Amino acid sequence: MSEALPIRKAAVIGAGVMGSGIAAQIANAGVPVLLLDIVPKDAAGKEPNDRSLLARGAVERLLKTEPAPLMRPENAALITPGNIEDDLDKLADADWILEAVLENPEVKRSLYRRLEGKRQKGSIVSSNTSTIPLAHLTEGIGNGFARDFMITHFFNPPRYMRLLEVVAGPETRPDAVARLEAFADRGLGKGVVRCKDTPGFIANRIGVYWMQCAVLEAVDLGLTVEEADAVMGKPVGIPKTGVFGLLDLTGIDLQPHVDAALSAALAPDDDYQRIRRAFPLMQKMIAEGYTGRKGKGGFYRMTKGADGSRSLEAINLKTGNYAPKQEPRLDSIDAGRTGLRAVVEHPDKGGRYAWRVLSQLLAYTAGLVPEIADDITAVDRAMRQGYAWKWGPFELIDRMGVAWFAERLAAEGRKVPPLLVAAAKAGGFYKTEGGRPHYLATDGRYRPVEHPAGVILLEDVKRAGEPVAKNGSAALWDIGDGVLCFEFTSKMNALDAETLSLLRQALDIVPKRGKALVIYNEAEQFSVGANIGLALFAANIGMWPMIEGLVDEGLATFKKLKYAPFPTVGAPAGMALGGGCELLLHCSAIEAHAETYMGLVEVGVGLVPGWGGVQELLQRYQSEPGAPKGPVPNVARVFETVSLAKVSRSAAEAQALGYLRARDGIVMNRERLLAAAKARALALAEGYQPPAPAEFRLPGPGGRTALKLVIDNFVLAGRATPHDRTVGMALAELVTGGAAADPTLVTDEDALRKLARDAFMALIRTPATLARMEHMLETGKPLRN
């Protein structure tokens, strides 16, 4: 990957949580990175004398941290630890040097002076600061340095948070900015947003205001933390952590420092100064070590009972006492199902809370453009990718109704910002013209929403036209150049009979309208697998023919997908589990987003993969370069992978597990995934021939006996339950070829498909499996019975 990227080697100075996390993401891009920190004061007295102890320790922590900063543990080998006393000469071949040291301008400037003469000419230097203006950082350093310098503000954790805020100074070379933005986009997978050199830039300027306002309004209105987080969560398109859960996650002790820094940097008449005030309970919590998840707990804490059970408690915002977390019951939360407007208009305290927070926040934000960014799209993008909001501030206003929002502010005697007035007159901040999204610019005109070159978004395709075919669970779209795109649309993209029906229809349509098919969607998860709720319902009323028919449909459809006379390219992102993983295993090729979590997880609900996933995984293992020739090692590997329900924690790990082949692609930036999949499909279409039927050498009864011994030992050791044994033996039967002679060459894939179908149907009839399915649906967790 690194050869094609504009940064070939990087260096990060500052091995704290952020600095080491950024170094990890650079390593995830396949780029070597030098990680430096200071020499510990007591290094001379240590044995051995390790002057790079801080950076070395940071790399070791990367391998233990959860969620994992490294996409594969092997990526740690690309990070070279060092120190700033002995190793600055190693910066001579670094294309990019990122500073992530103390938020102290003089400390940073002192470091920059030391870099001069050590770094190569034209190398880029950037700071990860979130509080210090660029102009302060470059004071007295010289014009040559200022030309190569900018701010690159990452969000924590750097691997998972997509936003990168970039601030360029008046002297920064445009080509340096373009080079770094290209690397951040394609190599690091970031959504790059240009910001003005203003306090807090974009995301924290708005996000800190939101958190302050949401906390204090909850206190004033008498909401519990559970109620506040439930209202200020899913109903308004904010992650389910809400605000108090987010503070626990980021660290409550960080908030006073962020608040003080932002307040000191802002003008006295900025509205942030009006809303901020001391919150004694938070101060008390910090003093007592209740700093959130990294401390003894925070607004929520986990307690352990005498019997070893664990329970979640929430703090009382008035008394400071903890009590078991309660499910909030507010009608305004339910009203959110019908739209955002219904929430803020609701008369209960949840509705009043939503209005008081959002009205202040959104009015404040509308007054910040063009101060913090040139246009509203940068602001909305920053909040979506930096704080994981479903909609940005201006999109939220449009969802409420911009004219209604402006009128209500005015009716309450509050200031209506000029940009909001203009949007109310124009009819909204966004609109669609000629099938393309447009936004309201600060000059009062609508302009097209521009994407980086090479980006294709399905949402734009959908906005511009009608689907080729559609039903309640899927849709088929024409994305141009003879490529069609199959999209799941059911809840969590679970696969059902309608999904399979439209996929079969799509496989018939493609040869008539084009030359390739991409399977892709822009939901949070690619697919969580088959709809087990539907299967459980059918099982509970004895509709076994319906379940068997669904299994047969899946097997037939996926076989048709595999042997289609044109290329089929799967393009997953997020979870691709169970049937979703099986579908991908039948595609001609896969272009996966780096954050793809694949796995055959059916054993978790007491089943085995029923749609051919086992045979496809076995075929991958058999065809790997250097794979063992005998039947036992590959079969044992498949049995281990499936019986343990191994799920990759990245696309790179999916390759290590065999779910992805070496020739499958990995795309760091999700916004480039559809374009990559389309390009792969077009490349394959030239002279495409479907694969030849696979041959499987399986060990038969002898192999099954060996696996039985392994399973029995797990049961005797208490590491598996009796029903685990039942499921394990069904899987052993499947992977070894059933009752065939020992050993046997199975050339007929349909024989393995029949084994999968029979094993699935036998297991789903057992009460223990039905109990596991029901428990998974109710709790989201596996049942050990």
Side-chain angles (χ1 to χ4, degrees):
M1 184 185 293
S2 58
E3 291 84 2
L5 295 173
I7 300 295
R8 295 161 297 176
K9 183 177 179 181
V12 175
I13 303 177
V17 173
M18 279 299 294
S20 61
I22 294 168
Q25 186 64 0
I26 294 171
N28 289 334
V31 173
V33 55
L34 182 65
L35 180 62
L36 306 181
D37 210 309
I38 61 172
V39 176
K41 292 180 181 179
D42 57 348
K46 289 186 177 294
E47 292 294 339
N49 183 7
D50 190 350
R51 292 167 61 81
S52 300
L53 182 67
L54 294 179
R56 200 177 307 279
V59 176
E60 292 172 358
R61 284 191 297 276
L62 290 175
L63 293 165
K64 302 174 185 176
T65 301
E66 293 293 341
L70 294 163
M71 292 179 178
R72 286 189 70 187
E74 292 83 351
N75 291 348
L78 287 168
I79 307 174
T80 302
N83 68 78
I84 60 174
E85 299 300 328
D86 305 326
D87 299 313
L88 286 185
D89 288 339
K90 295 179 181 178
L91 299 175
D93 58 349
D95 299 312
W96 174 31
I97 302 165
L98 181 138
E99 164 270 304
V101 302
L102 293 173
E103 287 291 90
N104 180 309
E106 190 46 51
V107 170
K108 293 177 185 289
R109 286 193 293 262
S110 175
L111 174 63
Y112 301 156
R113 293 186 187 99
R114 295 181 63 185
L115 297 182
E116 293 303 279
K118 301 291 185 181
R119 66 187 183 95
Q120 64 174 310
K121 183 179 180 181
S123 63
I124 299 167
V125 182
S126 72
S127 174
N128 186 56
T129 185
S130 60
T131 61
I132 305 172
L134 184 146
H136 292 181
L137 294 174
T138 56
E139 284 178 5
I141 308 296
N143 289 343
F145 179 83
R147 284 173 49 79
D148 297 332
F149 184 79
M150 67 192 79
I151 289 172
T152 50
H153 179 219
F154 287 77
F155 283 70
N156 196 34
R159 170 181 165 183
Y160 300 96
M161 299 306 294
R162 293 177 60 200
L163 177 63
L164 178 68
E165 293 181 319
V166 172
V167 181
E171 299 171 55
T172 308
R173 291 183 290 115
D175 61 310
V177 178
R179 183 183 182 190
L180 190 57
E181 287 183 343
F183 175 65
D185 174 348
R186 297 178 181 273
L188 303 181
K190 296 300 173 187
V192 179
V193 173
R194 293 273 190 104
C195 307
K196 302 289 187 67
D197 191 13
T198 57
F201 309 133
I202 297 176
N204 281 346
R205 178 75 173 271
I206 297 167
V208 174
Y209 184 106
W210 165 67
M211 288 189 288
Q212 280 277 352
C213 189
V215 167
L216 298 175
E217 290 293 353
V219 173
D220 292 347
L221 286 167
L223 273 75
T224 66
V225 293
E226 301 99 316
E227 289 171 338
D229 283 348
V231 173
M232 202 51 56
K234 185 177 180 180
V236 297
I238 287 172
K240 62 181 180 181
T241 56
V243 63
F244 291 102
L246 178 62
L247 286 167
D248 278 357
L249 182 64
T250 59
I252 295 170
D253 55 333
L254 179 65
Q255 191 63 16
H257 299 288
V258 173
D259 166 56
L262 187 60
S263 176
L266 292 173
D269 61 348
D270 189 275
D271 197 54
Y272 181 74
Q273 312 286 16
R274 175 187 64 82
I275 67 161
R276 66 184 293 264
R277 68 173 189 266
F279 183 25
L281 175 61
M282 187 182 290
Q283 296 168 339
K284 179 174 180 289
M285 292 169 67
I286 295 169
E288 294 177 354
Y290 286 92
T291 55
R293 296 189 188 182
K294 66 181 180 181
K296 296 189 293 184
F299 293 104
Y300 299 95
R301 73 176 183 185
M302 190 69 72
T303 60
K304 191 173 183 179
D307 60 352
S309 63
R310 299 172 69 84
S311 60
L312 188 62
E313 295 183 336
I315 202 168
N316 185 303
L317 294 174
K318 292 182 179 178
T319 67
N321 298 324
Y322 285 93
K325 182 178 180 292
Q326 301 295 314
E327 191 68 28
R329 301 187 181 280
L330 293 172
D331 291 341
S332 52
I333 298 172
D334 295 332
R337 297 192 185 102
T338 62
L340 180 58
R341 176 95 157 258
V343 180
V344 297
E345 286 189 313
H346 201 281
D348 74 6
K349 62 179 179 179
R352 297 197 306 274
Y353 174 64
W355 170 249
R356 283 172 63 164
V357 174
L358 292 180
S359 62
Q360 293 179 85
L361 170 70
L362 300 179
Y364 179 65
T365 303
L368 292 178
V369 177
E371 176 191 343
I372 62 173
D374 287 329
D375 58 65
I376 64 171
T377 65
V379 174
D380 282 343
R381 184 181 172 98
M383 296 312 295
R384 289 196 308 268
Q385 299 192 351
Y387 278 73
W389 290 8
K390 187 174 182 179
W391 305 291
F394 296 99
E395 293 167 318
L396 283 171
I397 296 173
D398 271 2
R399 293 185 73 82
M400 279 191 284
V402 63
W404 173 87
F405 181 70
E407 289 168 6
R408 183 165 175 181
L409 287 178
E412 293 178 1
R414 295 156 68 181
K415 183 180 178 181
V416 182
L419 187 59
L420 185 54
V421 173
K425 290 179 180 178
F429 284 107
Y430 292 94
K431 68 176 182 178
T432 299
E433 289 184 356
R436 290 190 61 187
H438 287 65
Y439 71 93
L440 184 67
T442 53
D443 62 3
R445 298 179 180 179
Y446 284 98
R447 304 188 187 282
V449 175
E450 301 291 349
H451 302 305
V455 168
I456 303 172
L457 298 181
L458 186 59
E459 66 178 26
D460 290 344
V461 175
K462 293 161 69 172
R463 188 183 286 110
E466 295 297 318
V468 176
K470 183 179 182 180
N471 64 20
S473 297
L476 182 66
W477 303 90
D478 189 333
I479 58 174
D481 301 314
V483 180
L484 280 75
C485 177
F486 186 83
E487 176 198 24
F488 308 133
T489 59
S490 58
K491 184 177 181 181
M492 297 289 285
N493 287 334
L495 309 182
D496 56 24
E498 285 200 304
T499 313
L500 298 174
S501 173
L502 195 69
L503 181 54
R504 287 196 307 275
Q505 186 181 344
L507 294 171
D508 291 331
I509 291 173
V510 171
K512 302 171 185 175
R513 293 194 50 143
K515 51 190 173 183
L517 179 70
V518 166
I519 301 175
Y520 163 90
N521 63 75
E522 287 169 358
E524 186 176 354
Q525 313 300 350
F526 177 76
S527 173
V528 295
N531 187 333
I532 63 170
L534 180 63
L536 181 62
F537 171 77
N540 284 333
I541 60 174
M543 294 181 63
W544 305 114
M546 173 183 170
I547 298 174
E548 191 166 351
L550 185 62
V551 176
D552 287 340
E553 281 185 68
L555 285 167
T557 303
F558 288 3
K559 180 181 179 181
K560 186 175 182 178
L561 175 69
K562 179 178 180 178
Y563 293 110
F566 51 84
T568 57
V569 178
M575 290 191 292
L577 304 178
C581 180
E582 290 184 284
L583 182 147
L584 291 169
L585 293 175
H586 285 80
C587 289
S588 311
I590 298 175
E591 289 288 323
H593 180 236
E595 298 298 344
T596 295
Y597 318 118
M598 292 180 70
L600 297 172
V601 297
E602 287 83 353
V603 295
V605 289
L607 296 167
V608 295
W611 284 340
V614 169
Q615 71 187 42
E616 294 304 317
L617 188 61
L618 180 58
Q619 184 177 351
R620 277 166 163 69
Y621 287 176
Q622 289 182 165
S623 60
E624 285 179 350
K629 299 301 181 185
V632 174
N634 292 318
V635 164
R637 186 181 170 196
V638 171
F639 181 80
E640 179 185 4
T641 299
V642 179
S643 65
L644 297 179
K646 290 185 178 181
V647 176
S648 70
R649 299 193 297 174
S650 67
E653 196 169 276
Q655 279 186 323
L657 289 172
Y659 295 130
L660 298 182
R661 294 157 294 202
R663 67 176 185 268
D664 289 326
I666 297 176
V667 179
M668 293 294 281
N669 193 327
R670 185 165 183 175
E671 290 186 340
R672 295 190 176 277
L673 182 57
L674 181 56
K678 179 181 177 181
R680 183 68 176 276
L682 288 170
L684 289 172
E686 298 299 323
Y688 180 77
Q689 294 292 324
E695 292 185 344
F696 299 91
R697 184 170 291 281
L698 305 176
R704 186 168 68 255
T705 300
L707 292 177
K708 177 180 181 297
L709 181 61
V710 173
I711 295 167
D712 287 343
N713 286 337
F714 270 84
V715 174
L716 287 171
R719 297 169 64 185
T721 69
H723 193 58
D724 289 334
R725 185 186 187 282
T726 301
V727 177
M729 286 307 301
L731 178 61
E733 181 89 5
L734 172 56
V735 298
T736 57
D742 179 13
T744 181
L745 183 69
V746 178
T747 56
D748 183 4
E749 290 183 56
D750 288 337
L752 292 182
R753 291 190 179 94
K754 184 177 184 303
L755 281 175
R757 167 183 174 257
D758 293 346
F760 185 96
M761 291 305 303
L763 288 169
I764 202 170
R765 290 175 180 267
T766 63
T769 284
L770 294 176
R772 289 188 178 191
M773 293 169 66
E774 186 171 0
H775 189 268
M776 179 63 76
L777 284 171
E778 289 178 353
T779 68
K781 298 177 182 178
L783 173 68
R784 298 299 307 279
N785 61 345

